[in-house]
mmCIF file of all heavy atoms in Angstrom:
data_model
loop_
_atom_site.group_PDB
_atom_site.id
_atom_site.type_symbol
_atom_site.label_atom_id
_atom_site.label_comp_id
_atom_site.label_asym_id
_atom_site.label_seq_id
_atom_site.Cartn_x
_atom_site.Cartn_y
_atom_site.Cartn_z
ATOM 1 N N ASP D 1 44.772 34.597 12.146
ATOM 2 C CA ASP D 1 44.677 34.190 10.746
ATOM 3 C C ASP D 1 43.295 33.645 10.397
ATOM 4 O O ASP D 1 42.787 33.882 9.301
ATOM 5 C CB ASP D 1 45.745 33.138 10.419
ATOM 6 C CG ASP D 1 47.154 33.710 10.472
ATOM 7 O OD1 ASP D 1 47.313 34.943 10.358
ATOM 8 O OD2 ASP D 1 48.101 32.916 10.640
ATOM 9 N N LEU D 2 42.674 32.906 11.325
ATOM 10 C CA LEU D 2 41.371 32.284 11.046
ATOM 11 C C LEU D 2 40.187 33.220 11.301
ATOM 12 O O LEU D 2 39.066 32.892 10.919
ATOM 13 C CB LEU D 2 41.199 31.013 11.880
ATOM 14 C CG LEU D 2 42.058 29.833 11.468
ATOM 15 C CD1 LEU D 2 41.816 28.648 12.384
ATOM 16 C CD2 LEU D 2 41.817 29.452 10.014
ATOM 17 N N ARG D 3 40.414 34.343 11.932
ATOM 18 C CA ARG D 3 39.304 35.260 12.183
ATOM 19 C C ARG D 3 39.549 36.629 11.548
ATOM 20 O O ARG D 3 38.899 36.976 10.578
ATOM 21 C CB ARG D 3 39.060 35.402 13.689
ATOM 22 C CG ARG D 3 38.526 34.122 14.325
ATOM 23 C CD ARG D 3 38.171 34.222 15.811
ATOM 24 N NE ARG D 3 39.027 35.077 16.606
ATOM 25 C CZ ARG D 3 38.651 36.272 17.105
ATOM 26 N NH1 ARG D 3 37.462 36.737 16.889
ATOM 27 N NH2 ARG D 3 39.491 36.982 17.825
ATOM 28 N N ILE D 4 40.493 37.373 12.068
ATOM 29 C CA ILE D 4 40.698 38.749 11.625
ATOM 30 C C ILE D 4 41.170 38.810 10.173
ATOM 31 O O ILE D 4 40.577 39.506 9.352
ATOM 32 C CB ILE D 4 41.674 39.481 12.568
ATOM 33 C CG1 ILE D 4 41.051 39.587 13.967
ATOM 34 C CG2 ILE D 4 42.048 40.847 12.020
ATOM 35 C CD1 ILE D 4 41.997 40.031 15.042
ATOM 36 N N LYS D 5 42.230 38.094 9.855
ATOM 37 C CA LYS D 5 42.740 38.132 8.481
ATOM 38 C C LYS D 5 41.752 37.502 7.505
ATOM 39 O O LYS D 5 41.573 37.998 6.396
ATOM 40 C CB LYS D 5 44.105 37.455 8.382
ATOM 41 C CG LYS D 5 45.215 38.309 8.951
ATOM 42 C CD LYS D 5 46.563 37.704 8.657
ATOM 43 C CE LYS D 5 47.675 38.596 9.157
ATOM 44 N NZ LYS D 5 48.994 38.036 8.856
ATOM 45 N N ARG D 6 41.113 36.413 7.905
ATOM 46 C CA ARG D 6 40.112 35.782 7.035
ATOM 47 C C ARG D 6 39.037 36.786 6.639
ATOM 48 O O ARG D 6 38.712 36.938 5.460
ATOM 49 C CB ARG D 6 39.482 34.590 7.741
ATOM 50 C CG ARG D 6 38.379 33.915 6.920
ATOM 51 C CD ARG D 6 37.414 33.152 7.790
ATOM 52 N NE ARG D 6 36.753 34.059 8.721
ATOM 53 C CZ ARG D 6 36.203 33.674 9.874
ATOM 54 N NH1 ARG D 6 36.250 32.419 10.264
ATOM 55 N NH2 ARG D 6 35.610 34.553 10.651
ATOM 56 N N ASP D 7 38.493 37.497 7.616
ATOM 57 C CA ASP D 7 37.434 38.469 7.331
ATOM 58 C C ASP D 7 37.946 39.638 6.495
ATOM 59 O O ASP D 7 37.267 40.095 5.575
ATOM 60 C CB ASP D 7 36.809 38.970 8.628
ATOM 61 C CG ASP D 7 36.041 37.891 9.374
ATOM 62 O OD1 ASP D 7 35.807 36.803 8.793
ATOM 63 O OD2 ASP D 7 35.677 38.130 10.541
ATOM 64 N N LEU D 8 39.146 40.108 6.799
ATOM 65 C CA LEU D 8 39.739 41.205 6.039
ATOM 66 C C LEU D 8 39.935 40.808 4.575
ATOM 67 O O LEU D 8 39.602 41.567 3.657
ATOM 68 C CB LEU D 8 41.075 41.603 6.666
ATOM 69 C CG LEU D 8 41.843 42.739 6.007
ATOM 70 C CD1 LEU D 8 41.056 44.041 6.062
ATOM 71 C CD2 LEU D 8 43.199 42.906 6.686
ATOM 72 N N TYR D 9 40.436 39.596 4.345
ATOM 73 C CA TYR D 9 40.662 39.135 2.976
ATOM 74 C C TYR D 9 39.345 38.910 2.235
ATOM 75 O O TYR D 9 39.232 39.231 1.057
ATOM 76 C CB TYR D 9 41.511 37.865 2.971
ATOM 77 C CG TYR D 9 42.926 38.070 3.476
ATOM 78 C CD1 TYR D 9 43.646 37.022 4.014
ATOM 79 C CD2 TYR D 9 43.550 39.315 3.425
ATOM 80 C CE1 TYR D 9 44.944 37.192 4.471
ATOM 81 C CE2 TYR D 9 44.835 39.506 3.886
ATOM 82 C CZ TYR D 9 45.536 38.436 4.414
ATOM 83 O OH TYR D 9 46.823 38.607 4.862
ATOM 84 N N ALA D 10 38.351 38.389 2.915
ATOM 85 C CA ALA D 10 37.040 38.194 2.282
ATOM 86 C C ALA D 10 36.423 39.541 1.918
ATOM 87 O O ALA D 10 35.882 39.709 0.824
ATOM 88 C CB ALA D 10 36.106 37.413 3.203
ATOM 89 N N GLN D 11 36.504 40.513 2.816
ATOM 90 C CA GLN D 11 35.969 41.849 2.550
ATOM 91 C C GLN D 11 36.673 42.511 1.371
ATOM 92 O O GLN D 11 36.078 43.303 0.652
ATOM 93 C CB GLN D 11 36.101 42.735 3.790
ATOM 94 C CG GLN D 11 35.193 42.336 4.922
ATOM 95 C CD GLN D 11 35.578 42.981 6.238
ATOM 96 O OE1 GLN D 11 36.472 43.818 6.309
ATOM 97 N NE2 GLN D 11 34.914 42.564 7.320
ATOM 98 N N SER D 12 37.945 42.161 1.174
ATOM 99 C CA SER D 12 38.726 42.734 0.075
ATOM 100 C C SER D 12 38.537 41.980 -1.235
ATOM 101 O O SER D 12 39.106 42.362 -2.252
ATOM 102 C CB SER D 12 40.213 42.751 0.448
ATOM 103 O OG SER D 12 40.413 43.571 1.576
ATOM 104 N N GLY D 13 37.771 40.889 -1.204
ATOM 105 C CA GLY D 13 37.476 40.131 -2.421
ATOM 106 C C GLY D 13 38.552 39.158 -2.842
ATOM 107 O O GLY D 13 38.574 38.719 -4.003
ATOM 108 N N ILE D 14 39.446 38.777 -1.932
ATOM 109 C CA ILE D 14 40.468 37.769 -2.257
ATOM 110 C C ILE D 14 39.740 36.450 -2.525
ATOM 111 O O ILE D 14 39.026 35.942 -1.666
ATOM 112 C CB ILE D 14 41.473 37.598 -1.103
ATOM 113 C CG1 ILE D 14 42.186 38.910 -0.779
ATOM 114 C CG2 ILE D 14 42.461 36.469 -1.413
ATOM 115 C CD1 ILE D 14 43.055 39.451 -1.877
ATOM 116 N N SER D 15 39.916 35.900 -3.714
ATOM 117 C CA SER D 15 39.162 34.716 -4.147
ATOM 118 C C SER D 15 39.362 33.494 -3.274
ATOM 119 O O SER D 15 38.429 32.718 -3.050
ATOM 120 C CB SER D 15 39.527 34.345 -5.582
ATOM 121 O OG SER D 15 39.220 35.387 -6.451
ATOM 122 N N GLU D 16 40.596 33.325 -2.797
ATOM 123 C CA GLU D 16 40.890 32.113 -2.035
ATOM 124 C C GLU D 16 41.951 32.424 -0.978
ATOM 125 O O GLU D 16 42.897 33.167 -1.234
ATOM 126 C CB GLU D 16 41.378 31.017 -2.981
ATOM 127 C CG GLU D 16 41.372 29.653 -2.390
ATOM 128 C CD GLU D 16 41.471 28.552 -3.442
ATOM 129 O OE1 GLU D 16 41.546 28.840 -4.652
ATOM 130 O OE2 GLU D 16 41.477 27.383 -3.030
ATOM 131 N N TYR D 17 41.773 31.827 0.202
ATOM 132 C CA TYR D 17 42.664 32.058 1.338
ATOM 133 C C TYR D 17 42.900 30.740 2.049
ATOM 134 O O TYR D 17 41.947 30.033 2.378
ATOM 135 C CB TYR D 17 42.021 33.083 2.285
ATOM 136 C CG TYR D 17 42.749 33.323 3.582
ATOM 137 C CD1 TYR D 17 44.094 33.654 3.607
ATOM 138 C CD2 TYR D 17 42.077 33.246 4.790
ATOM 139 C CE1 TYR D 17 44.760 33.892 4.804
ATOM 140 C CE2 TYR D 17 42.732 33.487 5.993
ATOM 141 C CZ TYR D 17 44.071 33.810 5.992
ATOM 142 O OH TYR D 17 44.711 34.042 7.189
ATOM 143 N N TRP D 18 44.169 30.394 2.259
ATOM 144 C CA TRP D 18 44.529 29.152 2.936
ATOM 145 C C TRP D 18 45.329 29.470 4.192
ATOM 146 O O TRP D 18 46.150 30.389 4.201
ATOM 147 C CB TRP D 18 45.396 28.271 2.047
ATOM 148 C CG TRP D 18 44.708 27.683 0.848
ATOM 149 C CD1 TRP D 18 43.457 27.963 0.374
ATOM 150 C CD2 TRP D 18 45.249 26.713 -0.046
ATOM 151 N NE1 TRP D 18 43.189 27.227 -0.744
ATOM 152 C CE2 TRP D 18 44.278 26.456 -1.027
ATOM 153 C CE3 TRP D 18 46.459 26.051 -0.101
ATOM 154 C CZ2 TRP D 18 44.487 25.546 -2.059
ATOM 155 C CZ3 TRP D 18 46.673 25.151 -1.134
ATOM 156 C CH2 TRP D 18 45.684 24.899 -2.099
ATOM 157 N N VAL D 19 45.102 28.675 5.233
ATOM 158 C CA VAL D 19 45.872 28.786 6.475
ATOM 159 C C VAL D 19 46.354 27.387 6.857
ATOM 160 O O VAL D 19 45.530 26.492 7.056
ATOM 161 C CB VAL D 19 45.017 29.368 7.631
ATOM 162 C CG1 VAL D 19 45.827 29.404 8.919
ATOM 163 C CG2 VAL D 19 44.474 30.742 7.278
ATOM 164 N N PHE D 20 47.676 27.227 6.959
ATOM 165 C CA PHE D 20 48.222 25.960 7.435
ATOM 166 C C PHE D 20 48.452 26.082 8.929
ATOM 167 O O PHE D 20 49.236 26.905 9.389
ATOM 168 C CB PHE D 20 49.521 25.578 6.724
ATOM 169 C CG PHE D 20 50.046 24.248 7.178
ATOM 170 C CD1 PHE D 20 49.383 23.080 6.823
ATOM 171 C CD2 PHE D 20 51.165 24.152 7.980
ATOM 172 C CE1 PHE D 20 49.834 21.837 7.254
ATOM 173 C CE2 PHE D 20 51.636 22.915 8.416
ATOM 174 C CZ PHE D 20 50.968 21.755 8.052
ATOM 175 N N ASP D 21 47.740 25.266 9.695
ATOM 176 C CA ASP D 21 47.858 25.218 11.155
ATOM 177 C C ASP D 21 48.985 24.252 11.499
ATOM 178 O O ASP D 21 48.819 23.036 11.409
ATOM 179 C CB ASP D 21 46.524 24.762 11.750
ATOM 180 C CG ASP D 21 46.571 24.532 13.247
ATOM 181 O OD1 ASP D 21 47.620 24.775 13.880
ATOM 182 O OD2 ASP D 21 45.538 24.084 13.789
ATOM 183 N N VAL D 22 50.126 24.798 11.882
ATOM 184 C CA VAL D 22 51.309 23.990 12.165
ATOM 185 C C VAL D 22 51.041 23.015 13.312
ATOM 186 O O VAL D 22 51.330 21.819 13.202
ATOM 187 C CB VAL D 22 52.514 24.905 12.494
ATOM 188 C CG1 VAL D 22 53.712 24.077 12.951
ATOM 189 C CG2 VAL D 22 52.877 25.760 11.296
ATOM 190 N N ASP D 23 50.488 23.512 14.415
ATOM 191 C CA ASP D 23 50.254 22.653 15.580
ATOM 192 C C ASP D 23 49.180 21.592 15.328
ATOM 193 O O ASP D 23 49.296 20.466 15.798
ATOM 194 C CB ASP D 23 49.873 23.491 16.801
ATOM 195 C CG ASP D 23 51.027 24.365 17.274
ATOM 196 O OD1 ASP D 23 52.195 23.998 17.034
ATOM 197 O OD2 ASP D 23 50.759 25.421 17.873
ATOM 198 N N GLY D 24 48.145 21.955 14.594
ATOM 199 C CA GLY D 24 47.054 21.021 14.316
ATOM 200 C C GLY D 24 47.270 20.173 13.084
ATOM 201 O O GLY D 24 46.477 19.280 12.780
ATOM 202 N N SER D 25 48.337 20.457 12.332
ATOM 203 C CA SER D 25 48.654 19.731 11.094
ATOM 204 C C SER D 25 47.459 19.669 10.157
ATOM 205 O O SER D 25 47.131 18.616 9.614
ATOM 206 C CB SER D 25 49.159 18.316 11.413
ATOM 207 O OG SER D 25 50.374 18.378 12.115
ATOM 208 N N THR D 26 46.806 20.815 9.984
ATOM 209 C CA THR D 26 45.662 20.904 9.072
ATOM 210 C C THR D 26 45.781 22.143 8.195
ATOM 211 O O THR D 26 46.421 23.125 8.564
ATOM 212 C CB THR D 26 44.330 20.980 9.839
ATOM 213 O OG1 THR D 26 44.378 22.079 10.745
ATOM 214 C CG2 THR D 26 44.031 19.702 10.588
ATOM 215 N N MET D 27 45.159 22.060 7.043
ATOM 216 C CA MET D 27 45.080 23.196 6.126
ATOM 217 C C MET D 27 43.621 23.642 6.086
ATOM 218 O O MET D 27 42.727 22.842 5.794
ATOM 219 C CB MET D 27 45.535 22.805 4.719
ATOM 220 C CG MET D 27 45.477 23.940 3.728
ATOM 221 S SD MET D 27 46.834 25.108 3.895
ATOM 222 C CE MET D 27 48.117 24.241 2.995
ATOM 223 N N HIS D 28 43.380 24.915 6.383
ATOM 224 C CA HIS D 28 42.054 25.520 6.260
ATOM 225 C C HIS D 28 42.027 26.245 4.919
ATOM 226 O O HIS D 28 42.910 27.054 4.635
ATOM 227 C CB HIS D 28 41.803 26.524 7.390
ATOM 228 C CG HIS D 28 41.742 25.903 8.735
ATOM 229 N ND1 HIS D 28 40.546 25.599 9.339
ATOM 230 C CD2 HIS D 28 42.716 25.526 9.594
ATOM 231 C CE1 HIS D 28 40.790 25.063 10.523
ATOM 232 N NE2 HIS D 28 42.095 25.003 10.696
ATOM 233 N N MET D 29 41.017 25.944 4.108
ATOM 234 C CA MET D 29 40.916 26.539 2.777
ATOM 235 C C MET D 29 39.569 27.255 2.657
ATOM 236 O O MET D 29 38.519 26.634 2.825
ATOM 237 C CB MET D 29 41.046 25.457 1.711
ATOM 238 C CG MET D 29 42.388 24.750 1.762
ATOM 239 S SD MET D 29 42.444 23.256 0.754
ATOM 240 C CE MET D 29 41.437 22.168 1.749
ATOM 241 N N PHE D 30 39.642 28.548 2.379
ATOM 242 C CA PHE D 30 38.445 29.379 2.253
ATOM 243 C C PHE D 30 38.344 29.876 0.819
ATOM 244 O O PHE D 30 39.355 30.244 0.213
ATOM 245 C CB PHE D 30 38.535 30.594 3.180
ATOM 246 C CG PHE D 30 38.681 30.256 4.636
ATOM 247 C CD1 PHE D 30 39.938 30.151 5.211
ATOM 248 C CD2 PHE D 30 37.564 30.048 5.426
ATOM 249 C CE1 PHE D 30 40.093 29.845 6.558
ATOM 250 C CE2 PHE D 30 37.699 29.738 6.776
ATOM 251 C CZ PHE D 30 38.958 29.641 7.335
ATOM 252 N N ASP D 31 37.120 29.922 0.293
ATOM 253 C CA ASP D 31 36.905 30.519 -1.022
ATOM 254 C C ASP D 31 35.462 31.009 -1.123
ATOM 255 O O ASP D 31 34.641 30.723 -0.253
ATOM 256 C CB ASP D 31 37.235 29.533 -2.146
ATOM 257 C CG ASP D 31 36.277 28.364 -2.212
ATOM 258 O OD1 ASP D 31 35.240 28.489 -2.887
ATOM 259 O OD2 ASP D 31 36.553 27.329 -1.579
ATOM 260 N N GLY D 32 35.187 31.764 -2.171
ATOM 261 C CA GLY D 32 33.847 32.284 -2.400
ATOM 262 C C GLY D 32 33.506 33.494 -1.541
ATOM 263 O O GLY D 32 32.514 33.462 -0.816
ATOM 264 N N PRO D 33 34.315 34.565 -1.613
ATOM 265 C CA PRO D 33 33.997 35.736 -0.796
ATOM 266 C C PRO D 33 32.627 36.296 -1.177
ATOM 267 O O PRO D 33 32.302 36.418 -2.355
ATOM 268 C CB PRO D 33 35.123 36.720 -1.118
ATOM 269 C CG PRO D 33 35.657 36.289 -2.439
ATOM 270 C CD PRO D 33 35.439 34.810 -2.517
ATOM 271 N N ASP D 34 31.834 36.590 -0.159
ATOM 272 C CA ASP D 34 30.477 37.073 -0.392
ATOM 273 C C ASP D 34 30.031 37.876 0.830
ATOM 274 O O ASP D 34 29.929 37.309 1.924
ATOM 275 C CB ASP D 34 29.545 35.884 -0.626
ATOM 276 C CG ASP D 34 28.117 36.299 -0.940
ATOM 277 O OD1 ASP D 34 27.907 37.393 -1.487
ATOM 278 O OD2 ASP D 34 27.209 35.501 -0.630
ATOM 279 N N GLY D 35 29.824 39.163 0.659
ATOM 280 C CA GLY D 35 29.335 39.987 1.754
ATOM 281 C C GLY D 35 30.293 40.068 2.932
ATOM 282 O O GLY D 35 29.868 40.148 4.073
ATOM 283 N N GLY D 36 31.599 40.036 2.661
ATOM 284 C CA GLY D 36 32.579 40.150 3.721
ATOM 285 C C GLY D 36 32.922 38.849 4.414
ATOM 286 O O GLY D 36 33.675 38.836 5.386
ATOM 287 N N ARG D 37 32.387 37.743 3.933
ATOM 288 C CA ARG D 37 32.671 36.405 4.494
ATOM 289 C C ARG D 37 32.968 35.452 3.351
ATOM 290 O O ARG D 37 32.563 35.676 2.217
ATOM 291 C CB ARG D 37 31.460 35.870 5.264
ATOM 292 C CG ARG D 37 31.083 36.646 6.472
ATOM 293 C CD ARG D 37 31.939 36.235 7.596
ATOM 294 N NE ARG D 37 31.422 36.791 8.847
ATOM 295 C CZ ARG D 37 32.087 36.713 9.955
ATOM 296 N NH1 ARG D 37 33.231 36.112 9.988
ATOM 297 N NH2 ARG D 37 31.616 37.242 11.051
ATOM 298 N N TYR D 38 33.629 34.350 3.679
ATOM 299 C CA TYR D 38 33.815 33.291 2.694
ATOM 300 C C TYR D 38 32.669 32.302 2.822
ATOM 301 O O TYR D 38 32.303 31.900 3.921
ATOM 302 C CB TYR D 38 35.156 32.570 2.914
ATOM 303 C CG TYR D 38 36.342 33.374 2.438
ATOM 304 C CD1 TYR D 38 37.194 34.001 3.338
ATOM 305 C CD2 TYR D 38 36.609 33.511 1.082
ATOM 306 C CE1 TYR D 38 38.284 34.735 2.903
ATOM 307 C CE2 TYR D 38 37.693 34.252 0.632
ATOM 308 C CZ TYR D 38 38.511 34.858 1.551
ATOM 309 O OH TYR D 38 39.589 35.591 1.108
ATOM 310 N N ARG D 39 32.099 31.915 1.689
ATOM 311 C CA ARG D 39 31.002 30.941 1.687
ATOM 312 C C ARG D 39 31.481 29.537 2.006
ATOM 313 O O ARG D 39 30.757 28.755 2.607
ATOM 314 C CB ARG D 39 30.312 30.929 0.317
ATOM 315 C CG ARG D 39 29.453 32.138 0.025
ATOM 316 C CD ARG D 39 28.647 31.959 -1.260
ATOM 317 N NE ARG D 39 29.463 31.563 -2.400
ATOM 318 C CZ ARG D 39 29.961 32.391 -3.304
ATOM 319 N NH1 ARG D 39 29.740 33.682 -3.218
ATOM 320 N NH2 ARG D 39 30.689 31.944 -4.300
ATOM 321 N N ASN D 40 32.693 29.205 1.592
ATOM 322 C CA ASN D 40 33.181 27.832 1.718
ATOM 323 C C ASN D 40 34.407 27.757 2.616
ATOM 324 O O ASN D 40 35.313 28.587 2.515
ATOM 325 C CB ASN D 40 33.535 27.269 0.337
ATOM 326 C CG ASN D 40 32.370 27.388 -0.625
ATOM 327 O OD1 ASN D 40 31.265 26.985 -0.313
ATOM 328 N ND2 ASN D 40 32.620 27.969 -1.792
#
């Protein structure tokens, strides 16, 4: 989710992508797709 899907979604222009890490009890929030990566 944090590597393959993140890059796939950024390349597809998905504006925002969130991943809730159950074991780590954290939310990863990505936005700003640019050149196949998220800026933020």
Side-chain angles (χ1 to χ4, degrees):
D1 292 339
L2 289 179
R3 292 184 324 109
I4 296 168
K5 285 188 177 181
R6 177 203 61 203
D7 293 349
L8 180 63
Y9 294 155
Q11 290 165 6
S12 298
I14 301 296
S15 299
E16 195 164 0
Y17 174 53
W18 291 8
V19 177
F20 182 71
D21 174 3
V22 173
D23 293 333
S25 296
T26 56
M27 180 77 81
H28 295 262
M29 298 168 287
F30 301 93
D31 67 88
D34 183 28
R37 296 278 191 189
Y38 284 106
R39 287 188 308 264
N40 306 309

